[in-house]
Amino acid sequence: MTKRSTLIISKMHCASCSATIENGLKKEKGIISANVNFASEKAYLEFDPKKIDIVRIQKIIQELGYEAEEENLEEELTHQDKETKNQETQLLKSRFLWALIFGFPLVYLVMGKMFGLPIPFFFEKYGQFSQFILASSVILICRNIWTSGLRNLFRLAPNMDSLIFTGTAAAYFYSLMMLIFSLFGLQAKAEDLYFESAAFILIFISLGKYLEAETKGKTSEAIKKLIGLASKTATVLRKIPNPETEQSSVQGPEVNSVLLQGSKFQTEQYEEVKIPISEVKVGDIILVRPGEKIPVDGVVIDGYSSVDEKMVTGESIPVEKTKGDKVIGGTVNQTGKLIFRATAVGQDTMLAQIIKIVDEAMAKKAPIQLLVDKVSFYFVPAVFAIATLTFIIWVLFSQSFGFALTAFVAVLIISCPCALGLATPTAVMMGTGLAAQNGILIKSGKALEMAQKINMVVFDKTGTLTRGEPKVTDVINTSEVSPCRRRGPSTSKVKILQLAASIEKNSEHPLAQAIVNKAKEKNLALSPSTSLGINSVEGFQAIPGKGVIAKIKNPALPTGRQNSKILLGNRKLMQENNITMEQFNNSKIEQLENEGKTVMLLALDEKLIGLIAVADTLKEYSKEAVQMLHKMGKKVVILTGDNERVGEAIANQLGIDYVLAEVLPQDKAKVIKQLQQGLEIENSLKIVLRRTQDNPRQCRRIENWKIENSRQGRVVAMVGDGINDAPALAQADLGIALGSGTDIAMETGEIVLIKDDLRDVVKAIDLSSYTFKKIKQNLFWAFFYNLLGIPIAAGILYPLTGWFLSPTIAAATMAFSSVSVVANALLMRRYHFQLL
């Protein structure tokens, strides 16, 4: 059995650092997968605990020159680890300021004469030695760059620090050698000294690292805000001890009895105790006053209030809460007092699950990142080769040693892989964070990349486009609607409903519940019942996508049999059990289905005796979401197990393009695959074709569907509401799952929508596409910068223009290249979804 763990990595300086750790870990036996994210400074691991443990993994990372500690989400949620990043940023800021204090006099000393500035006598007399002292001080302050670069060179795993070390060390030691020559009487020219280049390169690098840390930290502000939602304490109600009981806290069974009996919670029997959030247990009773944060997830047992859930669900309007409603930890109670029972604490809360999903999304790299990783891994060795080749060429072209050395240093310094390493993860961090604030959980880099390519969105019907809470609208006696009424006894509408409800009372299917609820609404007795004449229901069998079959004993019904077989379901169920269809009026069923109602057929002893029509209401923003998708140029499809007429009725109401009806749950993934391939689409429509052979217009419409889709495959997004849709969600190019409460932790779907608002489907696609657009912008500028900067640093313009890029300017541009990439990602904070 494998284990997953997340490590916080420190002392990483560039993308090649993360690649070094990643490749080092993957070589170890027992490590199944290792993803190191440079932007978030985390390593996401899956390993076999029988072959390797977390301590050994940490030691491997330390041997590579980095530090690692196991992430503790509990600590993050309780704000115990919030100062670490600030301390690191302040340390980088301090190093930069001290380096600048010693570096500025050095530049003034070197550049002062060029601009006619006065030079103090001491520096005038001992100028070369002063340069050495000041440059050495800067190197000492920034020694961590040198030690990191040298260490990785020895390991044959060079990183950005190795480039900086090699360049600055070459300039520094060459200048030191010229200074030593002068002490032995060999005159060293001022232009032969490059102390100021070495010092100011390190100063610019220090500034870049500080700004990078500052801006990089802002890319995760959204997730930090989510973590900041967690409350530190909770007010728990403890029962006041009395002689008859020693129980000091309210337990689940007692709370459940309060809920079931509908009685008011007696607060006077309890005392308030404020405890740390980490001590709250499932079953505890918690009091939340107006203005306070709800500390953990729970169910309200007393009180009434409105709760602001915007930061967790993205819902801008406060949600009213009363007895029996769920509350979410991290949301804010606004108007009234609430008392609720804790149902999830710690890492099981909805807030913790959101944070976990967003955090794990950063570990799953977009396919485009694989290219970047390969480039980053080979980038530094390639730069060393280019720099060395540059040096050799300029020496061969009879340029001075100092000129060739300057070109060598400039190439090393300007070739920073940081921008490449930050391009994708910073945009992903911003995108996933913004989405989480809007109640959208983007779980993978693949989702970000695929969303822009989606051209067809397939919706499950029940529970997705509709509320999934159908109601019985019609109960019909088939003999009464027949053109030629049968002689003999018939079953009344009341007994039809009673029979159906008796069979379905133990079923959890939404249609079954609708029938049972209708019977209860009319106060009808269900089996076993004397009035109904049923002693028992046996052999209950649910047929997925078709209906149910059962046997009943002693029915007081027209057949008069002691044991009768009863069926309740759709046409398929009737056909498979040889129930003749001539006994009902086809036009009546078609009429009901054209109204968007699902018709259930009730058969007793191989004879159809009744129809029960059930209708499901559309969700509030279904039509608006479909219209928005159309304006984005997407085709919209209904995929349903219901019959075609019901699907057509819903499609007509919403303006949906196509209907794929009577598809069994186990066949949904197959249909999605056919849509993706664009081949043999008619296979998924054979049932519909057979049912509509008497309607040429419908046949032509379906044939047009086949022709259009057989030309090319579709890039399909599947939108579903539950585990039953999991195969189709997995098969689709982009799976979008609707979730609520702690169900957001479901494994299905690469995008999870917390709210029950279908406009978020459009928002998720739009935000994902926007994020990937930012990734492409970042990668373009990162590659463009290096492709342009390296040749210029190598001196390609010198023969034509006489212009040459100094190492100092190269250091400045390199330092700000990664900052510009992060800044571009930060511009995503201005994103606002516009309703189309």
Side-chain angles (χ1 to χ4, degrees):
M1 186 175 181
T2 62
K3 182 179 179 182
R4 295 179 182 269
S5 183
T6 302
L7 297 178
I8 300 173
I9 310 292
S10 56
K11 298 185 179 180
M12 283 198 302
H13 303 297
C14 66
S16 56
C17 292
S18 60
T20 298
I21 298 172
E22 208 170 272
N23 288 308
L25 290 174
K26 287 178 178 178
K27 293 176 183 177
E28 296 294 322
K29 292 183 179 179
I31 295 182
I32 298 168
S33 66
N35 290 308
V36 181
N37 189 311
F38 172 51
S40 64
E41 298 180 336
K42 291 181 180 180
Y44 303 87
L45 307 168
E46 183 178 0
F47 59 94
D48 185 348
K50 294 180 181 179
K51 297 180 180 180
I52 194 169
D53 57 22
I54 199 68
V55 175
R56 172 58 185 157
I57 293 173
Q58 288 176 292
K59 188 175 180 180
I60 293 168
I61 294 174
Q62 289 172 355
E63 290 172 354
L64 292 171
Y66 308 93
E67 298 294 330
E69 60 177 316
E70 198 165 5
E71 183 185 51
N72 190 327
L73 183 58
E74 199 76 45
E75 286 186 359
E76 289 192 52
L77 290 173
T78 53
H79 306 186
Q80 294 176 22
D81 193 38
K82 62 181 179 180
E83 296 297 327
T84 305
K85 288 294 180 185
N86 290 335
Q87 291 174 357
E88 291 181 9
T89 304
Q90 289 303 314
L91 178 61
L92 290 171
K93 181 180 180 181
S94 177
R95 283 177 181 168
F96 162 68
L97 292 176
W98 278 107
L100 186 63
I101 289 171
F102 285 92
F104 185 77
L106 175 59
V107 174
Y108 182 87
L109 177 62
V110 174
M111 306 296 292
K113 288 184 178 181
M114 295 176 58
F115 296 97
L117 300 175
I119 306 296
F121 173 76
F122 177 83
F123 289 115
E124 181 73 31
K125 186 175 181 180
Y126 303 103
Q128 294 179 348
F129 189 72
S130 299
Q131 289 183 45
F132 165 69
I133 296 297
L134 292 170
S136 299
S137 300
V138 172
I139 290 171
L140 185 63
I141 293 167
C142 301
R143 62 188 179 276
N144 65 306
I145 298 175
W146 270 35
T147 54
S148 172
L150 185 60
R151 185 190 308 114
N152 283 282
L153 276 177
F154 280 138
R155 291 196 180 99
L156 299 179
N159 61 355
M160 187 197 78
D161 287 347
S162 301
L163 296 176
I164 297 167
F165 164 75
T166 305
T168 55
Y172 176 80
F173 286 113
Y174 175 76
S175 301
L176 180 59
M177 184 176 65
M178 291 297 101
L179 179 60
I180 293 172
F181 285 169
S182 69
L183 294 177
F184 287 95
L186 299 174
Q187 186 66 34
K189 298 178 182 179
E191 56 268 24
D192 290 335
L193 300 181
Y194 298 94
F195 285 121
E196 85 286 354
S197 294
F200 239 67
I201 285 170
L202 291 173
I203 291 171
F204 275 122
I205 297 303
S206 298
L207 174 61
K209 286 182 179 292
Y210 163 63
L211 293 176
E212 182 183 305
E214 191 74 39
T215 52
K216 194 167 66 173
K218 291 180 181 179
T219 61
S220 58
E221 277 186 356
I223 195 68
K224 288 176 183 176
K225 287 180 181 178
L226 286 173
I227 293 174
L229 291 177
S231 179
K232 295 181 181 180
T233 60
T235 302
V236 178
L237 298 181
R238 306 288 192 191
K239 195 164 186 179
I240 301 173
N242 59 67
E244 297 181 1
T245 178
E246 296 181 358
Q247 186 177 1
S248 60
S249 64
V250 185
Q251 302 300 319
E254 180 177 343
V255 178
N256 291 336
S257 66
V258 172
L259 288 170
L260 291 172
Q261 295 170 10
S263 57
K264 186 174 178 60
F265 188 80
Q266 302 297 320
T267 55
E268 62 273 9
Q269 298 179 13
Y270 303 89
E271 61 179 349
E272 299 178 16
V273 180
K274 186 160 285 190
I275 62 174
I277 190 69
S278 58
E279 295 180 11
V280 177
K281 296 182 176 63
V282 173
D284 281 346
I285 296 304
I286 299 172
L287 170 67
V288 183
R289 293 185 172 86
E292 294 180 343
K293 286 183 179 179
I294 294 172
V296 295
D297 296 356
V299 178
V300 177
I301 61 172
D302 194 45
Y304 173 82
S305 182
S306 59
V307 177
D308 183 1
E309 298 182 341
K310 182 178 181 180
M311 280 300 292
V312 176
T313 67
E315 179 60 64
S316 58
I317 301 174
V319 181
E320 294 183 353
K321 301 290 183 181
T322 187
K323 184 182 290 188
D325 290 335
K326 293 180 180 179
V327 290
I328 305 168
T331 57
V332 180
N333 184 30
Q334 290 193 327
T335 56
K337 184 173 68 174
L338 288 175
I339 299 173
F340 69 93
R341 176 176 63 89
T343 57
V345 300
Q347 298 190 40
D348 295 328
T349 62
M350 179 180 181
L351 179 61
Q353 293 293 333
I354 291 174
I355 294 169
K356 182 181 178 183
I357 288 173
V358 175
D359 194 45
E360 287 181 348
M362 300 174 190
K364 300 176 182 177
K365 299 177 181 178
I368 196 172
Q369 181 66 19
L370 300 176
L371 171 63
V372 178
D373 288 347
K374 289 181 180 179
V375 171
S376 298
F377 183 73
Y378 295 107
F379 186 81
V380 175
V383 168
F384 271 113
I386 294 171
T388 303
L389 183 62
T390 299
F391 178 82
I392 294 171
I393 289 173
W394 284 120
V395 169
L396 292 177
F397 274 85
S398 301
Q399 292 293 334
S400 67
F401 182 84
F403 184 93
L405 178 66
T406 301
F408 173 78
V409 173
V411 171
L412 290 177
I413 298 304
I414 203 168
S415 305
C416 174
C418 284
L420 286 175
L422 290 167
T424 298
T426 50
V428 170
M429 291 168 71
M430 284 297 299
T432 52
L434 286 171
Q437 285 184 327
N438 285 276
I440 301 168
L441 302 183
I442 301 174
K443 297 169 63 177
S444 70
K446 175 178 176 277
L448 290 171
E449 186 162 344
M450 190 55 63
Q452 60 166 347
K453 302 175 183 178
I454 295 297
N455 53 33
M456 176 176 283
V457 181
V458 179
F459 285 94
D460 172 54
K461 182 178 74 68
T462 305
T464 302
L465 291 171
T466 63
R467 296 185 182 277
E469 298 176 357
K471 296 183 178 180
V472 173
T473 58
D474 304 88
V475 179
I476 299 168
N477 184 330
T478 55
S479 62
E480 292 180 359
V481 298
S482 175
C484 301
R485 294 198 177 186
R486 296 178 301 164
R487 294 184 178 181
S490 64
T491 310
S492 69
K493 294 181 180 180
V494 171
K495 288 197 173 181
I496 288 172
L497 182 59
Q498 276 185 301
L499 268 173
S502 296
I503 301 303
E504 295 279 30
K505 70 176 184 178
N506 294 320
S507 174
E508 296 180 355
H509 193 281
L511 296 180
Q513 291 299 310
I515 293 172
V516 173
N517 291 338
K518 185 68 174 180
K520 289 181 178 178
E521 181 184 314
K522 292 185 172 293
N523 297 316
L524 301 180
L526 305 184
S527 66
S529 166
T530 304
S531 63
L532 185 57
I534 298 178
N535 292 339
S536 65
V537 176
E538 298 177 349
F540 178 88
Q541 182 183 4
I543 312 297
K546 299 175 184 177
V548 296
I549 300 174
K551 290 183 179 180
I552 54 177
K553 287 189 176 183
N554 301 322
L557 290 169
T559 58
R561 295 186 182 181
Q562 292 296 311
N563 295 284
S564 295
K565 181 180 179 182
I566 190 165
L567 294 86
L568 178 64
N570 57 21
R571 288 184 180 85
K572 285 185 183 179
L573 185 66
M574 301 299 140
Q575 291 170 352
E576 290 177 1
N577 286 272
N578 300 316
I579 305 299
T580 55
M581 310 299 286
E582 292 79 14
Q583 298 180 45
F584 65 91
N585 192 328
N586 280 301
S587 62
K588 184 63 178 178
I589 288 188
E590 290 181 7
Q591 175 190 335
L592 293 171
E593 289 176 343
N594 289 335
E595 293 171 0
K597 298 173 182 178
T598 299
V599 181
M600 312 234 348
L601 313 179
L602 182 67
L604 184 67
D605 290 330
E606 300 179 358
K607 291 184 180 180
L608 196 69
I609 61 172
L611 309 175
I612 299 177
V614 179
D616 195 359
T617 56
L618 294 174
K619 287 186 177 177
E620 185 176 1
Y621 299 112
S622 297
K623 188 172 184 177
E624 192 174 348
V626 172
Q627 291 174 343
M628 291 157 66
L629 286 170
H630 280 151
K631 289 183 179 180
M632 293 175 74
K634 317 294 184 188
K635 292 290 184 182
V636 185
V637 180
I638 289 180
L639 181 62
T640 178
D642 222 329
N643 64 71
E644 191 220 0
R645 289 191 181 89
V646 173
E648 281 286 343
I650 298 295
N652 289 335
Q653 293 178 54
L654 298 177
I656 287 177
D657 301 301
Y658 304 112
V659 177
L660 296 180
E662 298 188 28
V663 181
L664 298 176
Q666 62 266 29
D667 293 333
K668 287 185 177 181
K670 184 194 299 182
V671 172
I672 295 293
K673 186 175 182 179
Q674 290 173 336
L675 293 175
Q676 291 169 315
Q677 294 175 341
L679 301 172
E680 299 181 356
I681 298 298
E682 67 275 6
N683 287 351
S684 64
L685 298 172
K686 284 182 178 177
I687 296 172
V688 177
L689 283 168
R690 283 200 299 268
R691 289 195 62 258
T692 58
Q693 287 176 356
D694 59 335
N695 190 326
R697 183 189 64 81
Q698 288 182 344
C699 284
R700 282 197 299 271
R701 181 182 62 77
I702 293 171
E703 289 296 336
N704 290 338
W705 156 270
K706 288 192 298 181
I707 292 170
E708 177 184 346
N709 282 274
S710 62
R711 292 172 186 168
Q712 61 178 355
R714 294 286 187 175
V715 184
V716 180
M718 171 69 190
V719 185
D721 68 316
I723 301 301
N724 288 339
D725 297 316
L729 290 169
Q731 176 62 45
D733 298 289
L734 179 64
I736 302 177
L738 304 184
S740 60
T742 55
D743 290 340
I744 58 153
M746 69 173 70
E747 295 297 326
T748 57
E750 292 166 296
I751 295 179
V752 179
L753 310 180
I754 301 175
K755 289 186 297 179
D756 205 18
D757 187 340
L758 287 181
R759 292 177 301 179
D760 284 348
V761 173
V762 188
K763 189 184 293 185
I765 294 174
D766 185 65
L767 182 55
S768 297
S769 300
Y770 176 72
T771 302
F772 190 72
K773 182 174 73 175
K774 282 293 181 182
I775 291 174
K776 290 193 289 187
Q777 288 176 1
N778 284 348
L779 288 175
F780 170 79
W781 287 113
F783 278 108
F784 178 78
Y785 165 81
N786 283 288
L787 291 174
L788 184 65
I790 291 175
I792 293 175
I796 195 172
L797 298 179
Y798 183 76
L800 299 174
T801 64
W803 184 79
F804 190 72
L805 183 67
S806 74
T808 304
I809 297 175
T813 55
M814 185 277 287
F816 286 99
S817 64
S818 57
V819 175
S820 63
V821 167
V822 179
N824 186 46
L826 289 175
L827 291 176
M828 294 175 65
R829 290 186 294 185
R830 300 187 304 180
Y831 169 81
H832 292 289
F833 175 71
Q834 300 293 329
L835 296 180
L836 302 177

